[in-house]
């Protein structure tokens, strides 16, 4: 019996013959184009048959290598030269987006062709996105009808998720914006997008790619105002988009106001300067007082490091809020503003558990400092409070509310005696 271990084979020094590959195929989009156009001509305008042809051809033709040529043909009917023109000496087909009818239903049907193709060949996703970005940059080279069809198609593809909203970056091209091409294209695009989904879904997609605050860039710098945007898109039948942009602008202005307010407070700027600044911003951005009092309250409460002990935080809060009462009083000149402040205090005390016992003390302080008056306090107590911690806060306020009611009755009877 041979006890000697059998030597294991090793790879060192050995060479394995690999199958000799053919020489790398020359890049020849013209031959690819001819194959696709011939197939499309045979299928005709039946888009179901077109989708089946494209599905089957992917197994025989190199879609990965010639993605740009493929999409040029499906959109424009042939390979596009720089600038968006079709070369005269090239084959072309009428089975394409640009040669189709200019209506939403037809573009929805074409969107299905692209959808099926990209679902079947996932690797085409990036190529298609690049193609649409390129086509948007070529808009000036297309006719108005071709631009309209492309806009409708793009809107549908954005709605069904085939395209990402980041492709809209191409519309911010300086020349397209300057000549009004971007804005006109956006009208058709957003109409078909909103038709497929709704403004909330559109807003979510724009937010995802940080495009929600850039829509005014569809216009030249001297026309980038909410007023101009609203007028243009409302007249074009897109009131919901106009309102969305106006709201975005307002939200942005409110965030900016809060940020600046906190900086002014941390610097210790005089209250009269802060009040003047806030009132100017209210006027400029059309921000109502009840909204402003909420911003002022949040800013005031965020300028201090609060004690974590419940028995000490109430005292700290009263001291801090007493100091800021004149600032708060400047923005509670309306009953609705006072009610908003009461609800903000309630919410804050509920969300920050150390403040649960401080609610009544804060309200009494603001009553004495003339930040709050009887009527809004009584209304809050009766039916305008929110559900958060309501039983605790109503119990805390019970005696003070009774005192307010008695004081009100006494003043009424004194007024009657005086008469």
């Amino acid at each position: 019996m041979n006890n000697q271990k059998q030597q294991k084979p090793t790879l060192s020094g050995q060479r394995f013959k690999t199958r000799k590959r053919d020489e790398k195929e020359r890049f020849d989009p013209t031959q690819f184009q001819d194959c696709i156009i011939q197939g499309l001509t045979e299928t005709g305008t039946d888009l179901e048959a077109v989708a089946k042809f494209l599905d089957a051809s992917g197994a025989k033709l190199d879609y990965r290598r010639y993605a740009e040529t493929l999409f040029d043909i499906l959109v424009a009917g042939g390979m596009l030269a720089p600038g968006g023109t079709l070369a005269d000496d090239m084959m072309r087909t009428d089975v394409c987006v640009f040669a189709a009818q200019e209506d939403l239903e037809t573009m929805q049907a074409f969107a299905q062709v692209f959808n099926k193709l990209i679902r079947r060949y996932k690797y085409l996703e990036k190529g298609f996105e690049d193609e649409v970005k390129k086509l948007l940059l070529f808009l000036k080279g297309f006719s108005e009808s071709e631009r309209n069809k492309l806009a409708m198609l793009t809107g549908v593809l954005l709605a069904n998720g085939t395209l990402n909203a980041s492709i809209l970056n191409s519309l911010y091209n300086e020349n397209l914006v300057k000549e009004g091409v971007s804005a006109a294209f956006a009208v058709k695009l957003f109409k078909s997008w909103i038709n497929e989904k709704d403004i909330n879904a559109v807003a979510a997609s724009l937010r995802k790619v940080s495009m929600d605050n850039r829509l005014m860039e569809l216009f030249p710098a001297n026309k980038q105002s909410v007023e101009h945007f609203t007028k243009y898109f409302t007249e074009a039948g897109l009131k919901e988009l106009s309102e969305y942009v106006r709201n975005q602008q307002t939200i942005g202005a409110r965030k900016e106001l809060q940020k600046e307010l906190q900086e002014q407070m941390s610097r210790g700027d005089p209250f009269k300067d802060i009040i003047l600044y806030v009132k100017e911003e209210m006027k400029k951005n059309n921000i109502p007082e009840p909204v402003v009092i909420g911003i002022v309250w949040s800013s005031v409460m965020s300028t201090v490091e609060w004690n974590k002990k419940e028995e000490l935080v109430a005292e700290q809060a009263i001291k801090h809020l007493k100091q800021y009462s004149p600032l708060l009083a400047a923005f509670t000149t309306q009953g609705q503003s006072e009610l908003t402040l009461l609800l903000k205090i309630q919410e804050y005390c509920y969300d920050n558990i150390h403040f649960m016992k401080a609610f009544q003390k804060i309200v009494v302080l603001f009553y004495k400092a003339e930040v709050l008056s009887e009527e809004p306090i009584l209304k809050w107590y009766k039916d305008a409070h929110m559900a958060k911690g309501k039983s605790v806060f109503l119990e805390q306020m019970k005696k003070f509310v009774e005192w307010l009611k008695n004081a009100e009755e006494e003043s009424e009877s004194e007024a009657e005696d005086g008469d």
Side-chain angles (χ1 to χ4, degrees):
M1 190 177 181
N2 190 358
N3 290 327
Q4 201 176 4
K5 282 186 179 178
Q6 192 176 352
Q7 196 173 355
K8 290 182 179 178
T10 62
L11 293 175
S12 59
Q14 296 186 30
R15 287 191 176 184
F16 291 89
K17 282 188 178 180
T18 54
R19 186 184 300 159
K20 190 175 180 184
R21 299 181 70 86
D22 296 329
E23 276 186 49
K24 194 172 182 183
E25 189 189 344
R26 188 168 62 88
F27 184 70
D28 186 11
T30 309
Q31 191 181 353
F32 176 86
Q33 176 185 246
D34 293 348
C35 292
I36 293 291
I37 288 179
Q38 188 182 339
L40 290 175
T41 305
E42 287 169 10
T43 60
T45 53
D46 178 1
L47 293 184
E48 281 289 333
V50 168
K52 283 175 185 170
F53 159 71
L54 292 170
D55 188 306
S57 297
K60 296 173 278 186
L61 299 174
D62 194 348
Y63 280 179
R64 194 185 293 273
R65 199 171 189 206
Y66 298 111
E68 185 179 3
T69 305
L70 173 64
F71 292 128
D72 273 0
I73 295 164
L74 292 175
V75 173
M79 279 195 293
L80 290 168
T85 55
L86 281 169
D88 291 332
D89 56 342
M90 291 284 186
M91 275 182 76
R92 60 184 67 190
T93 176
D94 284 338
V95 185
C96 65
V97 171
F98 284 178
Q101 278 183 273
E102 189 186 325
D103 61 65
L104 186 57
E105 195 178 339
T106 305
M107 292 306 109
Q108 286 166 334
F110 263 101
Q112 281 305 309
V113 172
F114 287 104
N115 237 339
K116 288 173 184 174
L117 178 62
I118 290 161
R119 273 209 308 267
R120 176 71 177 84
Y121 300 103
K122 284 289 282 181
Y123 58 79
L124 286 174
E125 215 167 56
K126 177 73 171 66
F128 185 52
E129 205 165 282
D130 291 341
E131 172 74 10
V132 175
K133 286 176 185 175
K134 179 191 81 175
L135 291 169
L136 297 188
L137 290 173
F138 286 175
L139 286 178
K140 280 170 66 180
F142 305 145
S143 69
E144 188 183 347
S145 175
E146 287 167 349
R147 289 202 289 257
N148 289 343
K149 291 170 199 173
L150 182 59
M152 286 188 276
L153 175 72
T154 307
V156 175
L157 291 168
L158 282 164
N160 64 30
T162 305
L163 284 175
N164 183 293
S166 61
I167 56 107
L168 297 177
N169 264 313
S170 294
L171 291 179
Y172 301 132
N173 173 275
E174 191 180 348
N175 291 325
L176 294 176
V177 168
K178 190 178 172 185
E179 296 191 25
V181 175
S182 294
F185 185 86
V187 166
K188 291 282 183 184
L189 182 149
F190 279 109
K191 274 188 176 176
S192 69
W193 192 354
I194 292 168
N195 180 70
E196 296 290 308
K197 292 283 187 180
D198 60 31
I199 191 63
N200 296 323
V202 171
S205 298
L206 292 171
R207 229 177 357 257
K208 212 171 179 182
V209 293
S210 304
M211 205 74 78
D212 49 328
N213 288 316
R214 293 193 60 195
L215 293 179
M216 278 199 286
E217 292 174 42
L218 291 165
F219 297 102
N222 62 343
K223 292 181 178 176
Q224 284 179 20
S225 68
V226 179
E227 287 68 30
H228 180 77
F229 187 99
T230 303
K231 186 173 186 292
Y232 184 91
F233 279 94
T234 301
E235 284 175 0
L238 281 165
K239 191 179 177 187
E240 57 267 73
L241 185 68
S242 300
E243 286 172 355
Y244 167 71
V245 167
R246 189 179 282 282
N247 288 339
Q248 283 299 105
Q249 196 69 8
T250 306
I251 291 164
R254 290 174 190 180
K255 283 180 181 172
E256 196 55 43
L257 172 61
Q258 181 147 7
K259 186 183 167 192
E260 179 58 30
L261 201 49
Q262 286 169 349
E263 285 176 12
Q264 289 180 358
M265 287 178 189
S266 62
R267 288 197 304 263
D269 289 5
F271 286 161
K272 63 179 177 58
D273 294 349
I274 296 176
I275 290 165
L276 187 65
Y277 163 74
V278 174
K279 286 190 172 176
E280 282 174 357
E281 289 299 303
M282 285 171 70
K283 192 175 179 182
K284 187 168 84 177
N285 295 298
N286 199 26
I287 309 174
E289 191 185 80
V291 171
V292 169
I293 192 60
I295 294 170
V296 175
W297 165 260
S298 300
S299 302
V300 167
M301 296 306 278
S302 66
T303 58
V304 68
E305 190 71 40
W306 295 107
N307 201 302
K308 294 288 184 285
K309 292 182 179 176
E310 193 174 25
E311 62 274 16
L312 297 175
V313 81
E315 191 183 329
Q316 185 190 8
I318 296 304
K319 191 178 175 184
H320 177 69
L321 292 170
K322 193 172 186 178
Q323 180 192 344
Y324 279 94
S325 289
L327 180 61
L328 289 153
F331 302 102
T332 51
T333 63
Q334 303 167 11
Q336 189 56 48
S337 306
E338 293 183 56
L339 202 50
T340 300
L341 179 57
L342 277 161
L343 292 169
K344 290 287 179 187
I345 301 166
Q346 180 184 353
E347 189 173 32
Y348 189 91
C349 290
Y350 179 81
D351 291 343
N352 299 272
I353 198 158
H354 301 305
F355 280 81
M356 284 292 279
K357 290 181 180 175
F359 178 78
Q360 185 261 3
K361 292 185 172 107
I362 295 170
V363 176
V364 171
L365 165 73
F366 284 165
Y367 174 74
K368 288 178 179 175
E370 297 186 351
V371 176
L372 296 171
S373 55
E374 297 104 276
E375 200 177 319
I377 295 172
L378 293 172
K379 181 167 177 54
W380 172 88
Y381 186 83
K382 186 183 176 188
D383 55 20
H385 49 261
M386 60 174 71
K388 289 182 173 182
K390 107 175 169 179
S391 56
V392 175
F393 299 136
L394 290 176
E395 184 58 38
Q396 278 183 35
M397 290 290 290
K398 196 173 180 182
K399 285 183 181 176
F400 180 60
V401 166
E402 281 172 8
W403 179 84
L404 279 178
K405 283 178 179 174
N406 291 335
E408 197 175 30
E409 283 167 13
E410 281 173 23
S411 63
E412 279 175 9
S413 61
E414 280 171 17
E416 281 170 15
D417 291 344
D419 290 344

